[in-house]
Amino acid sequence: MKIKIGIVLIPIIFFSLVIGVVLLASVVSVKNDNDNVNYEYVSISADVLKYKPLVEEYCDKYDIKDQINIILAIMMQESGGQGLDPMQASESGYNTRYPRIPNGITDPIYSIEVGVQVWASVWKEAGDLKLALQGYNFGNGYVSWAKSRGGYTPENAKEFSDMMAIQNGWSAYGDILYVEHVMRYLSSGASVGDEEFKKMMEEVLKYQGYPYRFGGETPETSFDCSGLTKWAYNSIGISLPRTAQMQYDSMTHIPLSEAKQGDLLFFKNTYSTSDYITHVGIYVGDNIMYHAGDPIGYENINTDYWQKHFVCAGRIK
């Protein structure tokens, strides 16, 4: 991002140091229980979302009311909500009305009912999201086979695929990356933890007062906005894309009211470019962000300028 110095508030060094000490001393504790995660859907198309009421109806019917978002993510991967068999469920044993061949189902409503039945079956047998997802693609046989080997792994997904391809005389069997492909449409909504946030801030505070440098992404060059956020996240072992727009595209979007320390804040139209997102900063709480302004430092976003350009907060998926 390029910032016009005449518009951006010039940080007062003493105020910035005090704010930094206070914020680092009062980090909000974030629970991150990966064994009991409520996944949210992200980047789901309008073609898929139009079927959400039907998905809700059938999830209720087959007693998996908490799985609606996962079904939507599966549909997004299978078809993007297009075609007559949006859940690609034709070859399932639950399909008793249409030919059990690829795209044999020609009724989207029935496809969704069959797809939900398939998911309910593999989910209840697997009891684990990734194992169940791969089971939706490979069939229930994979679930029992993988459970006897400790559960889902990318390695045993490939092993099972190779084994089944040989048995059936096919060149390939299923999608060995199915879990990864579906998970890109799901988010746990998890923030960075308090220790990670402290480590991140300890790193980027080393560069407080450095000048803004367009294209900068290391301490040797100084930083631009996305270069600084990428450096910050890299310090806690998380790799972000390079530009503000790409970082925005890679994250779950949330309102400022839900933002937690360590989330990113995104802004638009701060300078002339074809990108929608033109600036990004690290949220540290109480309407304060740490960002590559000119110079690098803290900024209160509760001003007319920043509110005018604010888009949303972002959280790692």
Side-chain angles (χ1 to χ4, degrees):
M1 170 198 174
K2 298 176 181 175
I3 301 176
K4 297 179 180 178
I5 298 177
I7 295 176
V8 179
L9 298 177
I10 298 174
I12 300 173
I13 295 175
F14 175 75
F15 170 78
S16 297
L17 290 173
V18 171
I19 285 287
V21 172
V22 171
L23 289 171
L24 284 173
S26 60
V27 176
V28 176
S29 176
V30 178
K31 183 180 180 182
N32 191 5
D33 183 1
N34 291 323
D35 293 325
N36 187 23
V37 172
N38 293 316
Y39 283 92
E40 302 169 358
Y41 61 77
V42 293
S43 303
I44 299 295
S45 70
D47 287 330
V48 170
L49 289 177
K50 72 183 179 184
Y51 289 122
K52 187 176 180 182
L54 276 172
V55 171
E56 292 172 342
E57 176 185 338
Y58 287 120
C59 283
D60 184 34
K61 178 177 179 178
Y62 294 106
D63 197 28
I64 51 169
K65 290 186 288 186
D66 60 344
Q67 302 289 300
I68 294 166
N69 293 345
I70 295 172
I71 297 293
L72 294 173
I74 291 172
M75 189 190 302
M76 186 66 193
Q77 170 59 25
E78 292 290 344
S79 70
Q82 300 181 4
L84 299 177
D85 183 13
M87 292 298 292
Q88 292 294 290
S90 293
E91 296 173 81
S92 164
Y94 290 98
N95 171 21
T96 58
R97 299 183 191 174
Y98 294 88
R100 288 174 59 185
I101 58 175
N103 296 306
I105 293 176
T106 57
D107 177 0
I109 296 174
Y110 184 66
S111 172
I112 292 170
E113 180 173 15
V114 173
V116 170
Q117 287 179 280
V118 173
W119 177 253
S121 173
V122 295
W123 170 250
K124 289 173 182 177
E125 181 177 352
D128 172 81
L129 179 60
K130 292 183 177 180
L131 178 58
L133 285 173
Q134 196 63 62
Y136 186 89
N137 182 252
F138 282 166
N140 288 65
Y142 169 75
V143 175
S144 56
W145 180 90
K147 286 179 79 172
S148 69
R149 291 159 174 79
Y152 164 83
T153 66
E155 293 76 18
N156 71 34
K158 184 179 186 308
E159 181 184 350
F160 186 85
S161 174
D162 292 344
M163 178 181 69
M164 295 301 294
I166 292 171
Q167 285 183 14
N168 289 281
W170 299 338
S171 60
Y173 181 89
D175 177 4
I176 63 172
L177 298 177
Y178 193 76
V179 172
E180 177 182 335
H181 289 157
V182 175
M183 291 299 292
R184 62 186 166 175
Y185 302 116
L186 293 168
S187 169
S188 64
S191 299
V192 298
D194 52 357
E195 291 301 320
E196 292 174 312
F197 175 69
K198 285 192 288 186
K199 182 178 179 181
M200 176 193 297
M201 290 306 297
E202 286 169 358
E203 176 59 28
V204 295
L205 279 169
K206 297 174 184 177
Y207 316 113
Q208 186 172 7
Y210 277 38
Y212 174 89
R213 287 289 181 268
F214 187 74
E217 54 183 325
T218 69
E220 289 72 26
T221 61
S222 195
F223 298 91
D224 63 15
C225 64
S226 56
L228 183 67
T229 52
K230 181 176 174 62
W231 186 269
Y233 269 72
N234 188 64
S235 72
I236 58 172
I238 297 173
S239 178
L240 292 184
R242 176 59 183 90
T243 69
Q245 180 67 57
M246 293 169 66
Q247 291 175 9
Y248 170 84
D249 292 339
S250 74
M251 291 197 159
T252 300
H253 303 150
I254 56 176
L256 181 61
S257 60
E258 296 179 14
K260 298 176 180 178
Q261 293 167 317
D263 290 337
L264 297 186
L265 303 182
F266 294 102
F267 303 85
K268 64 181 180 179
N269 298 329
T270 55
Y271 73 100
S272 180
T273 176
S274 60
D275 286 345
Y276 173 57
I277 298 298
T278 59
H279 188 62
V280 59
I282 302 167
Y283 188 58
V284 296
D286 296 326
N287 290 315
I288 303 294
M289 71 172 170
Y290 188 86
H291 73 137
D294 199 359
I296 294 172
Y298 290 103
E299 188 104 33
N300 190 325
I301 65 167
N302 193 24
T303 65
D304 290 342
Y305 177 80
W306 290 113
Q307 291 301 305
K308 175 183 176 182
H309 296 286
F310 180 72
V311 175
C312 68
R315 183 167 296 164
I316 54 174
K317 295 181 180 180

